[in-house]
Amino acid sequence: AQSVTQLGSHVSVSEGALVLLRCNYSSSVPPYLFWYVQYPNQGLQLLLKYTSAATLVKGINGFEAEFKKSETSFHLTKPSAHMSDAAEYFCAVTPHPGGYNKLIFGAGTRLAVHP
Amino acid sequence: DAGVTQSPTHLIKTRGQQVTLRCSPKSGHDTVSWYQQALGQGPQFIFQYYEEEERQRGNFPDRFSGHQFPNYSSELNVNALLLGDSALYLCASSSTGDSNQPQHFGDGTRLSIL
């Protein structure tokens, strides 16, 4: 069975500071991993995905994530936070890369950015 | 190119009632998945439809049922509503034949049970 754990339900950073959102996964098969962002009263928007190619994945809005098999981690980072980054972030896993299989989500991390 | 559209955006029902939520997938997508997102939690998979049949199902009771139409649009039906069914219901579409494309989500329907 697959599962995702996001450490820290709330993260607060200053504008311009490094953003680090943590995600650890459990999977009995090679996983495919995703980060989604959710702004208030909206659905989920894909930030980036890992599908067994490069372990360092670059996404939209300056975010990137590194797949570390030895640590079963897929942490999300951004060098410099912007006020517009304030949102809820979800890490998700699936055994297949495409749309065939269900996504299993973590509980989410709410990112606050203060001036 | 329209993305995933869901209707209605908000809905208020009382316990014991029945509700139908609707989803139109992104153009070119043939697979629709439904998720329930309770307040403060991550989305949970309800079920997935492909070729007008339920292909996968999560851990949800039979009160939750669905349908997919020939034009790939889908409905989620919930019977005998409980207070615990209050949540944001998200629809996601994808193309089964394209393994490189992830699921695209709509903005959801917020269902409140009184």
Side-chain angles (χ1 to χ4, degrees):
Chain A
Q2 296 185 313
S3 65
V4 172
T5 302
Q6 292 185 241
L7 298 176
S9 59
H10 290 82
V11 171
S12 181
V13 301
S14 299
E15 191 173 19
L18 171 71
V19 175
L20 171 60
L21 305 182
R22 300 178 185 273
C23 172
N24 288 88
Y25 69 90
S26 173
S27 178
S28 58
V29 298
Y32 295 92
L33 295 154
F34 306 82
W35 275 98
Y36 283 87
V37 61
Q38 186 176 37
Y39 297 101
N41 301 314
Q42 293 188 24
L44 303 177
Q45 180 183 2
L46 180 69
L47 279 177
L48 50 80
K49 61 179 180 178
Y50 166 76
T51 57
S52 75
T55 56
L56 182 62
V57 182
K58 295 188 183 297
I60 63 171
N61 302 339
F63 285 95
E64 64 181 36
E66 186 173 8
F67 173 72
K68 292 187 177 181
K69 183 178 179 180
S70 61
E71 298 178 7
T72 60
S73 69
F74 190 58
H75 302 330
L76 182 70
T77 60
K78 182 174 181 178
S80 177
H82 191 271
M83 297 295 287
S84 61
D85 294 327
E88 186 96 25
Y89 291 80
F90 293 96
C91 182
V93 65
T94 184
H96 297 287
Y100 182 91
N101 224 329
K102 64 182 181 183
L103 290 169
I104 299 168
F105 287 90
T109 297
R110 183 168 298 278
L111 175 66
V113 182
H114 52 85
Chain B
D1 179 21
V4 179
T5 58
Q6 293 187 242
S7 63
T9 54
H10 294 84
L11 204 51
I12 300 175
K13 293 286 187 178
T14 57
R15 283 178 295 175
Q17 285 190 311
Q18 178 265 342
V19 69
T20 297
L21 311 181
R22 295 176 175 81
C23 172
S24 291
K26 179 180 169 65
S27 178
H29 287 182
D30 56 11
T31 303
V32 174
S33 302
W34 287 93
Y35 294 81
Q36 180 195 65
Q37 186 180 12
L39 195 62
Q41 297 183 23
Q44 288 197 316
F45 176 78
I46 303 174
F47 44 52
Q48 183 180 82
Y49 276 82
Y50 173 67
E51 292 188 335
E52 302 180 46
E53 291 192 357
E54 183 182 292
R55 182 161 66 177
Q56 298 183 86
R57 189 178 183 92
N59 189 26
F60 279 80
D62 291 345
R63 297 187 298 109
F64 289 77
S65 63
H67 188 78
Q68 185 179 35
F69 299 92
N71 67 352
Y72 308 119
S73 66
S74 176
E75 289 182 348
L76 165 64
N77 301 293
V78 187
N79 295 322
L81 287 166
L82 303 173
L83 292 178
D85 295 331
S86 294
L88 179 67
Y89 289 84
L90 295 165
C91 171
S93 73
S94 54
S95 176
T96 289
D98 188 348
S99 62
N100 288 321
Q101 293 300 317
Q103 296 183 28
H104 292 251
F105 285 80
D107 286 341
T109 294
R110 182 153 311 272
L111 175 64
S112 300
I113 311 301
L114 302 180

